[in-house]
């Protein structure tokens, strides 16, 4: 086989603010998009290119590593580095037609239903987000990730509390809500976080929002400038990624391993990021816990240059082995962490109530933005929730659900092991209400998890393909699997039935 070794004129501009390694990445992406480099072409060796550009070998190496991670290049040891042969003709056409953003599209993921969910230009992101948002809204479906046990929520009790407030709660229940949140609820949250998450805060640091993405919007409008870079876990929460792509922050994917986000890799990739968004208690979607060493490294990184860490603590109340771990925020001596919680898991997601605890130095800015947005959540539900907490129902409900989910996770794990055997790696989830399982590679290559999830959706199940949670999903090495919820599985019979349906979707 002859290998094309085209002459590639790479130029860098030292006056540009863009770091040299990123300029090199851009040059390669553009050359591939324009067809000057084609799948299988050999690219210049590290040392040669470093000499040509009069830059350090490490700079070129970093650029190549990123391009390999993104799926543009493939390293083959002594044979050299090549443009990835797995860039198909269709992908190349799309790359050539669309330039950088479209290149990112084809190199990333198909959503269930065939649309794509990559880091995207804002105009594309909305259209892509619809199928996944739709898949997770409306009538709940079996195995839907992130859904708490709707059958076990005390609806009668809740409706009594809400109607009591609606009837006798005063005119404030019907008027415009306080944009920063209903004070008694802010007070309850501050107390709750102190007791259960080790987070010490005052009620005026707590801002109530209409859900996690509303929290992110509030935080970014308050603290971010256009073009700010943000470390984002890879894999990471799909819906946040799609939303953030719309906001103008530049997401920098940082790999996750058994200890959570790899802080060293983050520093290598983008030391000057202004934000890091992390899920320390229960990494979404892999479920790992951020190790203490990494927690300290992350805090040190943030403290050194006034960076912000956004801690998404979405489901930490549910831990089945030992007590829930304290939040990262509890170690935050220099007040660099914005803590985010939600009532979607501990109550129900239709409630649309979440919150953030902001450092004291940020209160004024966040307050100003919250008031200008004036998107406060309905006072009626905030007041009902405050009553629910005050009367002790909240603590009881969480305790009951922890026991229930601990049992339901066993049902699903057992049924999956029975039905899939060696074809699926199933680890018992240590916490949360959803988990990721991974397919073993089939004889003819990696399992097409997007196709499996699409078939599952047609069969009435709401599982999501794991590869979609990766920044550049569906590369040769991207783990393939499914993300699924287990909180609504009521018994063994149901678990077996659902898993049998899922198994029938595996081979088409
Ligand atoms: C990782 C993660 N963060 C946050 C949330 C909470 O989002 P929301 O408050 O919009 O329900 C979820 C919900 O599934 C989630 O999976």
């Amino acid at each position: 086989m002859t290998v094309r070794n085209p002459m590639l004129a790479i130029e860098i501009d030292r006056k540009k603010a863009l770091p040299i390694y990123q300029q090199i990445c851009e040059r390669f992406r553009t050359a591939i998009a324009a067809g000057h480099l084609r799948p299988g072409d050999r690219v210049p060796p590290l040392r040669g290119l470093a000499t040509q550009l009069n830059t350090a070998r490490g700079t070129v190496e970093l650029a190549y590593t990123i391009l390999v991670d993104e799926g543009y290049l493939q390293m083959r040891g002594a044979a050299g580095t090549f443009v990835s042969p797995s860039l198909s003709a269709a992908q190349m056409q799309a790359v050539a037609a669309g330039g950088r953003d479209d290149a990112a599209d084809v190199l990333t993921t198909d959503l269930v239903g065939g649309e794509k969910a990559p880091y995207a230009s804002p105009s594309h992101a909305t259209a892509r987000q619809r199928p996944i948002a739709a898949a997770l809204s409306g009538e709940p479906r079996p195995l839907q990730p992130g859904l708490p046990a709707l059958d076990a929520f005390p609806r009668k009790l809740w409706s009594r509390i809400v109607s009591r407030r609606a009837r006798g709660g005063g005119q404030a229940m019907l008027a415009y809500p306080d944009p920063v949140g209903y004070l008694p609820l802010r007070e309850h949250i501050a107390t709750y976080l102190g007791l259960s998450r080790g987070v010490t805060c005052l009620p005026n640091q707590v801002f109530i929002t209409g859900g996690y993405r509303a929290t992110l919007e509030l935080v970014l409008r308050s603290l971010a400038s256009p073009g700010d870079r943000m470390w984002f876990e890879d894999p990471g929460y799909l819906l946040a990624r799609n939303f953030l792509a719309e906001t103008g922050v530049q997401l920098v994917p940082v790999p996750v391993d058994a200890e959570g986000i790899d802080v060293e890799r983050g520093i290598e990739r983008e030391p000057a990021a202004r934000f890091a968004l992390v899920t320390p208690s229960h990494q979404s979607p892999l479920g790992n816990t951020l190790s203490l060493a990494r927690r300290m490294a992350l805090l040190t990184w943030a403290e050194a240059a006034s960076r912000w860490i956004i801690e998404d603590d979405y489901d930490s109340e549910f831990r089945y082995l030992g007590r829930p771990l304290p939040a990262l925020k509890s170690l935050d001596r220099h007040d660099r962490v914005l803590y985010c919680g939600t009532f979607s898991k501990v109550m129900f997601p239709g409630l649309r109530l979440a919150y953030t605890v902001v450092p004291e130095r940020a209160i004024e800015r966040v307050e100003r933005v919250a008031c200008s947005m004036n998107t406060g959540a309905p006072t009626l539900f905030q007041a009902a929730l405050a009553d629910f907490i005050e009367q002790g129902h909240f603590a009881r409900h969480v305790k009951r659900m922890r026991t229930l989910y601990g049992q339901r996770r066993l049902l699903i794990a057992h049924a999956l092991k029975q039905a899939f055997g060696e074809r699926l790696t199933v680890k018992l989830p240590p916490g949360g209400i959803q988990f990721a399982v991974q397919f073993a590679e089939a004889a003819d290559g990696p399992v097409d998890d997007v196709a499996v999830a699409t078939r599952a959706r047609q069969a009435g199940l709401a599982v999501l393909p794991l590869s979609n949670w990766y920044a550049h999903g569906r590369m040769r090495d991207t783990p393939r699997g499914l993300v699924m919820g287990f909180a609504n599985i009521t018994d063994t019979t149901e678990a077996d039935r659902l898993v049998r349906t899922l198994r029938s979707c595996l081979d088409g």
Side-chain angles (χ1 to χ4, degrees):
M1 188 180 102
T2 55
V3 176
R4 267 170 37 97
N5 195 349
M7 290 298 292
L8 182 66
I10 289 193
E11 285 168 7
I12 52 173
D13 183 352
R14 290 198 151 72
K15 289 199 271 325
K16 269 193 172 176
L18 196 66
I20 291 173
Y21 76 90
Q22 287 186 11
Q23 292 189 39
I24 298 172
C25 288
E26 280 304 327
R27 293 289 180 276
F28 273 94
R29 294 184 192 114
T30 312
I32 292 170
H36 300 318
L37 280 172
R38 298 210 303 260
D41 282 345
R42 193 201 305 269
V43 302
L46 290 178
R47 197 184 300 278
L49 187 55
T51 309
Q52 186 192 323
L53 299 178
N54 195 17
T55 189
R57 189 177 183 273
T59 307
V60 180
E61 192 168 12
L62 177 57
Y64 276 19
T65 307
I66 290 170
L67 290 164
V68 168
D69 279 3
E70 290 179 350
Y72 287 95
L73 299 186
Q74 194 180 63
M75 285 183 182
R76 291 192 210 144
T81 303
F82 297 80
V83 177
S84 180
S86 64
L87 287 172
S88 66
Q91 286 171 330
M92 290 303 295
Q93 266 172 16
V95 168
R100 171 76 186 104
D101 279 337
D102 287 349
D105 289 356
V106 292
L107 291 171
T108 51
T109 57
D110 284 333
L111 274 177
V112 177
E115 298 213 31
K116 298 192 174 69
Y119 293 153
S121 61
S123 57
H124 292 170
T126 310
R128 263 179 231 119
Q129 209 165 312
R130 207 168 297 129
I132 185 136
L136 301 179
S137 63
E139 197 57 39
R141 280 177 306 137
L143 303 184
Q144 185 170 321
L147 206 60
L150 301 182
D151 62 316
F153 185 74
R155 284 171 81 146
K156 271 195 196 144
L157 173 64
W158 174 246
S159 54
R160 255 204 321 274
I161 290 176
V162 172
S163 63
R164 206 176 295 140
R165 275 286 178 178
R167 278 199 313 271
Q171 292 192 345
M173 297 298 121
L174 310 181
Y176 282 105
D178 187 331
V180 298
Y182 178 67
L183 183 58
L185 181 58
R186 300 171 83 193
E187 288 168 347
H188 281 305
I189 291 171
T191 308
Y192 164 71
L193 292 178
L195 291 174
S196 70
R197 309 294 300 121
V199 174
T200 310
C201 64
L202 292 169
N204 70 342
Q205 290 175 265
V206 180
F207 289 79
I208 311 283
T209 70
Y212 174 56
R213 274 162 285 165
T215 301
L216 289 179
E217 175 159 30
L218 177 63
V219 165
L220 293 181
R221 276 182 190 269
S222 307
L223 302 177
S225 308
D228 274 353
R229 282 151 206 269
M230 177 188 281
W231 291 0
F232 192 82
E233 293 170 334
D234 188 22
Y237 182 34
L238 191 56
L239 292 181
R241 193 178 73 202
N242 289 348
F243 168 72
L244 289 165
E246 303 244 19
T247 64
V249 290
Q250 308 258 324
L251 297 178
V252 179
V254 179
V256 164
D257 60 22
E259 285 188 61
I261 191 168
D262 188 336
V263 179
E264 260 182 48
R265 289 286 292 278
I267 293 170
E268 269 165 38
R269 286 240 167 130
E270 188 49 76
R274 230 167 108 56
F275 293 89
L277 195 156
V278 289
T279 48
S281 300
H282 188 228
Q283 202 277 328
S284 174
L286 299 182
N288 307 327
T289 304
L290 188 64
S291 67
L292 184 59
R294 295 255 176 101
R295 284 174 193 236
M296 300 318 291
L298 190 58
L299 290 168
T300 305
W301 168 81
E303 286 154 20
S306 303
R307 301 174 179 116
W308 298 111
I309 299 169
I310 302 177
E311 175 177 20
D312 176 10
D313 201 36
Y314 61 108
D315 68 0
S316 59
E317 287 84 357
F318 303 122
R319 188 141 191 106
Y320 313 113
L321 309 166
R323 286 171 55 76
L325 301 161
L328 173 67
K329 176 75 188 160
S330 69
L331 301 171
D332 180 25
R333 301 282 164 261
H334 296 263
D335 237 6
R336 302 310 317 172
V337 178
L338 294 117
Y339 176 90
C340 304
T342 179
F343 287 101
S344 291
K345 319 292 162 191
V346 280
M347 291 288 286
F348 56 95
L351 186 58
R352 297 286 75 212
L353 285 177
Y355 54 89
T356 177
V357 176
V358 310
E360 274 183 51
R361 66 166 78 80
I363 292 177
E364 213 180 292
R365 271 185 281 175
V366 178
E367 215 166 70
R368 202 170 51 236
V369 172
C371 290
S372 71
M373 287 167 72
N374 199 17
T375 50
T379 312
L380 176 61
F381 290 116
Q382 292 189 66
L385 179 55
D387 294 345
F388 194 79
I389 297 172
E390 191 168 310
Q391 294 165 20
H393 305 304
F394 180 75
R396 269 193 296 279
H397 180 59
V398 170
K399 193 161 171 243
R400 274 184 47 234
M401 290 308 99
R402 197 176 294 136
T403 309
L404 186 72
Y405 299 155
Q407 292 157 356
R408 290 186 173 181
R409 83 195 164 119
L410 298 174
L411 298 179
I412 186 76
H414 181 72
L416 286 168
K417 280 184 188 155
Q418 290 275 323
F420 283 84
E422 301 284 295
R423 297 196 64 185
L424 197 67
T425 304
V426 181
K427 291 199 197 112
L428 204 56
I433 55 175
Q434 66 185 38
F435 70 149
V437 291
Q438 217 168 303
F439 290 121
E441 181 153 335
D444 54 350
V447 170
D448 184 349
D449 56 357
V450 173
V452 176
T454 303
R455 287 193 286 272
R457 187 162 77 145
Q458 283 154 3
L461 308 178
V463 294
L464 295 173
L466 177 61
S467 61
N468 272 350
W469 298 62
Y470 285 80
H472 305 284
R474 307 193 75 195
M475 295 290 98
R476 180 70 180 73
D477 297 340
T478 307
R480 308 298 171 92
L482 297 171
V483 179
M484 65 182 84
F486 55 81
N488 284 281
I489 296 175
T490 51
D491 55 32
T492 314
T493 314
E494 190 187 9
D496 289 343
R497 181 176 56 76
L498 294 174
V499 166
R500 267 202 309 276
T501 307
L502 192 58
R503 178 67 181 79
S504 70
C505 301
L506 179 57
D507 298 317

PDB file of all heavy atoms in Angstrom, residues 146 211-213 237 279 284 312 314 342 344-345 349 352 354 434, ligand 1:
ATOM      1  N   GLY A 146     -32.331   9.211  34.913  1.00  0.00           N
ATOM      2  CA  GLY A 146     -32.552  10.426  35.701  1.00  0.00           C
ATOM      3  C   GLY A 146     -33.924  10.575  36.318  1.00  0.00           C
ATOM      4  O   GLY A 146     -34.185  11.570  36.983  1.00  0.00           O
ATOM      5  N   GLY A 211     -34.250  24.833  37.511  1.00  0.00           N
ATOM      6  CA  GLY A 211     -33.611  23.610  37.002  1.00  0.00           C
ATOM      7  C   GLY A 211     -32.120  23.868  36.797  1.00  0.00           C
ATOM      8  O   GLY A 211     -31.667  25.017  36.821  1.00  0.00           O
ATOM      9  N   TYR A 212     -31.389  22.785  36.601  1.00  0.00           N
ATOM     10  CA  TYR A 212     -29.925  22.877  36.548  1.00  0.00           C
ATOM     11  C   TYR A 212     -29.429  23.769  35.414  1.00  0.00           C
ATOM     12  O   TYR A 212     -28.500  24.554  35.579  1.00  0.00           O
ATOM     13  CB  TYR A 212     -29.355  21.461  36.424  1.00  0.00           C
ATOM     14  CG  TYR A 212     -27.870  21.396  36.209  1.00  0.00           C
ATOM     15  CD1 TYR A 212     -26.986  21.991  37.100  1.00  0.00           C
ATOM     16  CD2 TYR A 212     -27.343  20.734  35.108  1.00  0.00           C
ATOM     17  CE1 TYR A 212     -25.621  21.925  36.897  1.00  0.00           C
ATOM     18  CE2 TYR A 212     -25.987  20.648  34.906  1.00  0.00           C
ATOM     19  CZ  TYR A 212     -25.120  21.254  35.799  1.00  0.00           C
ATOM     20  OH  TYR A 212     -23.771  21.180  35.591  1.00  0.00           O
ATOM     21  N   ARG A 213     -30.062  23.665  34.273  1.00  0.00           N
ATOM     22  CA  ARG A 213     -29.574  24.509  33.166  1.00  0.00           C
ATOM     23  C   ARG A 213     -29.899  25.974  33.413  1.00  0.00           C
ATOM     24  O   ARG A 213     -29.154  26.859  33.008  1.00  0.00           O
ATOM     25  CB  ARG A 213     -30.121  24.003  31.829  1.00  0.00           C
ATOM     26  CG  ARG A 213     -29.220  22.900  31.275  1.00  0.00           C
ATOM     27  CD  ARG A 213     -29.902  22.079  30.239  1.00  0.00           C
ATOM     28  NE  ARG A 213     -30.870  21.167  30.838  1.00  0.00           N
ATOM     29  CZ  ARG A 213     -31.804  20.527  30.168  1.00  0.00           C
ATOM     30  NH1 ARG A 213     -31.901  20.703  28.870  1.00  0.00           N
ATOM     31  NH2 ARG A 213     -32.619  19.701  30.782  1.00  0.00           N
ATOM     32  N   TYR A 237     -22.220  15.213  31.191  1.00  0.00           N
ATOM     33  CA  TYR A 237     -23.687  15.300  31.098  1.00  0.00           C
ATOM     34  C   TYR A 237     -24.112  15.931  29.756  1.00  0.00           C
ATOM     35  O   TYR A 237     -23.882  17.108  29.494  1.00  0.00           O
ATOM     36  CB  TYR A 237     -24.207  16.115  32.278  1.00  0.00           C
ATOM     37  CG  TYR A 237     -25.708  16.252  32.352  1.00  0.00           C
ATOM     38  CD1 TYR A 237     -26.549  15.234  31.947  1.00  0.00           C
ATOM     39  CD2 TYR A 237     -26.274  17.413  32.862  1.00  0.00           C
ATOM     40  CE1 TYR A 237     -27.922  15.365  32.039  1.00  0.00           C
ATOM     41  CE2 TYR A 237     -27.652  17.556  32.959  1.00  0.00           C
ATOM     42  CZ  TYR A 237     -28.465  16.535  32.544  1.00  0.00           C
ATOM     43  OH  TYR A 237     -29.832  16.661  32.619  1.00  0.00           O
ATOM     44  N   THR A 279     -18.836  16.721  38.327  1.00  0.00           N
ATOM     45  CA  THR A 279     -19.838  15.980  39.103  1.00  0.00           C
ATOM     46  C   THR A 279     -19.075  15.092  40.094  1.00  0.00           C
ATOM     47  O   THR A 279     -18.937  13.887  39.873  1.00  0.00           O
ATOM     48  CB  THR A 279     -20.731  15.132  38.172  1.00  0.00           C
ATOM     49  OG1 THR A 279     -19.892  14.395  37.254  1.00  0.00           O
ATOM     50  CG2 THR A 279     -21.672  15.978  37.363  1.00  0.00           C
ATOM     51  N   SER A 284     -21.213  11.894  36.126  1.00  0.00           N
ATOM     52  CA  SER A 284     -22.245  11.621  35.132  1.00  0.00           C
ATOM     53  C   SER A 284     -21.600  11.488  33.760  1.00  0.00           C
ATOM     54  O   SER A 284     -20.960  12.423  33.290  1.00  0.00           O
ATOM     55  CB  SER A 284     -23.242  12.784  35.103  1.00  0.00           C
ATOM     56  OG  SER A 284     -24.161  12.614  34.076  1.00  0.00           O
ATOM     57  N   ASP A 312     -21.672  20.097  40.278  1.00  0.00           N
ATOM     58  CA  ASP A 312     -23.029  19.617  40.024  1.00  0.00           C
ATOM     59  C   ASP A 312     -23.262  18.410  40.934  1.00  0.00           C
ATOM     60  O   ASP A 312     -22.725  17.329  40.698  1.00  0.00           O
ATOM     61  CB  ASP A 312     -23.140  19.243  38.536  1.00  0.00           C
ATOM     62  CG  ASP A 312     -24.493  18.649  38.202  1.00  0.00           C
ATOM     63  OD1 ASP A 312     -25.405  18.695  39.057  1.00  0.00           O
ATOM     64  OD2 ASP A 312     -24.644  18.132  37.070  1.00  0.00           O
ATOM     65  N   TYR A 314     -26.001  16.533  41.683  1.00  0.00           N
ATOM     66  CA  TYR A 314     -27.396  16.308  41.294  1.00  0.00           C
ATOM     67  C   TYR A 314     -28.102  15.159  41.998  1.00  0.00           C
ATOM     68  O   TYR A 314     -29.308  15.182  42.143  1.00  0.00           O
ATOM     69  CB  TYR A 314     -27.475  16.113  39.772  1.00  0.00           C
ATOM     70  CG  TYR A 314     -26.688  14.915  39.288  1.00  0.00           C
ATOM     71  CD1 TYR A 314     -27.319  13.774  38.843  1.00  0.00           C
ATOM     72  CD2 TYR A 314     -25.305  14.933  39.306  1.00  0.00           C
ATOM     73  CE1 TYR A 314     -26.601  12.677  38.427  1.00  0.00           C
ATOM     74  CE2 TYR A 314     -24.575  13.837  38.894  1.00  0.00           C
ATOM     75  CZ  TYR A 314     -25.231  12.719  38.456  1.00  0.00           C
ATOM     76  OH  TYR A 314     -24.528  11.635  38.063  1.00  0.00           O
ATOM     77  N   THR A 342     -30.337  20.142  42.871  1.00  0.00           N
ATOM     78  CA  THR A 342     -31.628  20.130  42.177  1.00  0.00           C
ATOM     79  C   THR A 342     -32.635  19.322  43.008  1.00  0.00           C
ATOM     80  O   THR A 342     -32.242  18.424  43.765  1.00  0.00           O
ATOM     81  CB  THR A 342     -31.500  19.499  40.778  1.00  0.00           C
ATOM     82  OG1 THR A 342     -32.789  19.480  40.161  1.00  0.00           O
ATOM     83  CG2 THR A 342     -30.967  18.068  40.815  1.00  0.00           C
ATOM     84  N   SER A 344     -34.927  17.708  41.356  1.00  0.00           N
ATOM     85  CA  SER A 344     -35.476  16.792  40.354  1.00  0.00           C
ATOM     86  C   SER A 344     -35.395  15.337  40.773  1.00  0.00           C
ATOM     87  O   SER A 344     -36.222  14.520  40.375  1.00  0.00           O
ATOM     88  CB  SER A 344     -34.725  16.960  39.024  1.00  0.00           C
ATOM     89  OG  SER A 344     -35.038  18.198  38.466  1.00  0.00           O
ATOM     90  N   LYS A 345     -34.375  14.970  41.528  1.00  0.00           N
ATOM     91  CA  LYS A 345     -34.195  13.560  41.908  1.00  0.00           C
ATOM     92  C   LYS A 345     -34.809  13.280  43.276  1.00  0.00           C
ATOM     93  O   LYS A 345     -35.389  12.229  43.496  1.00  0.00           O
ATOM     94  CB  LYS A 345     -32.707  13.178  41.952  1.00  0.00           C
ATOM     95  CG  LYS A 345     -31.874  13.732  40.828  1.00  0.00           C
ATOM     96  CD  LYS A 345     -32.231  13.138  39.509  1.00  0.00           C
ATOM     97  CE  LYS A 345     -31.729  13.996  38.378  1.00  0.00           C
ATOM     98  NZ  LYS A 345     -32.226  13.638  37.090  1.00  0.00           N
ATOM     99  N   PRO A 349     -38.917  15.680  38.795  1.00  0.00           N
ATOM    100  CA  PRO A 349     -38.357  16.673  37.875  1.00  0.00           C
ATOM    101  C   PRO A 349     -39.358  17.699  37.355  1.00  0.00           C
ATOM    102  O   PRO A 349     -38.977  18.810  37.000  1.00  0.00           O
ATOM    103  CB  PRO A 349     -37.790  15.831  36.724  1.00  0.00           C
ATOM    104  CG  PRO A 349     -38.392  14.490  36.866  1.00  0.00           C
ATOM    105  CD  PRO A 349     -38.800  14.309  38.289  1.00  0.00           C
ATOM    106  N   ARG A 352     -39.418  21.409  38.674  1.00  0.00           N
ATOM    107  CA  ARG A 352     -38.516  22.431  38.124  1.00  0.00           C
ATOM    108  C   ARG A 352     -38.000  23.380  39.194  1.00  0.00           C
ATOM    109  O   ARG A 352     -38.145  24.595  39.100  1.00  0.00           O
ATOM    110  CB  ARG A 352     -39.197  23.228  36.992  1.00  0.00           C
ATOM    111  CG  ARG A 352     -39.608  22.470  35.756  1.00  0.00           C
ATOM    112  CD  ARG A 352     -38.449  22.079  34.841  1.00  0.00           C
ATOM    113  NE  ARG A 352     -37.692  20.965  35.391  1.00  0.00           N
ATOM    114  CZ  ARG A 352     -36.382  20.772  35.225  1.00  0.00           C
ATOM    115  NH1 ARG A 352     -35.675  21.594  34.524  1.00  0.00           N
ATOM    116  NH2 ARG A 352     -35.778  19.745  35.744  1.00  0.00           N
ATOM    117  N   ALA A 354     -34.416  24.058  41.397  1.00  0.00           N
ATOM    118  CA  ALA A 354     -33.017  23.736  41.655  1.00  0.00           C
ATOM    119  C   ALA A 354     -32.415  24.940  42.367  1.00  0.00           C
ATOM    120  O   ALA A 354     -33.109  25.931  42.612  1.00  0.00           O
ATOM    121  CB  ALA A 354     -32.299  23.444  40.341  1.00  0.00           C
ATOM    122  N   GLN A 434     -29.363   6.291  38.091  1.00  0.00           N
ATOM    123  CA  GLN A 434     -29.120   5.813  36.726  1.00  0.00           C
ATOM    124  C   GLN A 434     -27.700   5.261  36.685  1.00  0.00           C
ATOM    125  O   GLN A 434     -26.912   5.516  37.582  1.00  0.00           O
ATOM    126  CB  GLN A 434     -29.260   6.952  35.722  1.00  0.00           C
ATOM    127  CG  GLN A 434     -28.199   8.027  35.868  1.00  0.00           C
ATOM    128  CD  GLN A 434     -28.432   9.202  34.951  1.00  0.00           C
ATOM    129  OE1 GLN A 434     -29.563   9.608  34.726  1.00  0.00           O
ATOM    130  NE2 GLN A 434     -27.368   9.757  34.407  1.00  0.00           N
TER     131      GLN A 434
HETATM  132  C1  LIG B   1     -25.683  15.294  35.622  1.00  0.00           C
HETATM  133  C2  LIG B   1     -26.966  15.975  35.958  1.00  0.00           C
HETATM  134  N1  LIG B   1     -26.934  17.187  36.501  1.00  0.00           N
HETATM  135  C3  LIG B   1     -28.060  17.844  36.843  1.00  0.00           C
HETATM  136  C4  LIG B   1     -29.290  17.278  36.617  1.00  0.00           C
HETATM  137  C5  LIG B   1     -30.531  18.030  37.041  1.00  0.00           C
HETATM  138  O1  LIG B   1     -31.118  18.669  36.030  1.00  0.00           O
HETATM  139  P1  LIG B   1     -32.530  19.385  36.284  1.00  0.00           P
HETATM  140  O2  LIG B   1     -32.389  20.211  37.524  1.00  0.00           O
HETATM  141  O3  LIG B   1     -32.677  20.227  35.066  1.00  0.00           O
HETATM  142  O4  LIG B   1     -33.553  18.328  36.377  1.00  0.00           O
HETATM  143  C6  LIG B   1     -29.377  16.021  36.028  1.00  0.00           C
HETATM  144  C7  LIG B   1     -30.691  15.397  35.738  1.00  0.00           C
HETATM  145  O5  LIG B   1     -30.801  14.340  35.187  1.00  0.00           O
HETATM  146  C8  LIG B   1     -28.187  15.352  35.699  1.00  0.00           C
HETATM  147  O6  LIG B   1     -28.211  14.118  35.145  1.00  0.00           O
END
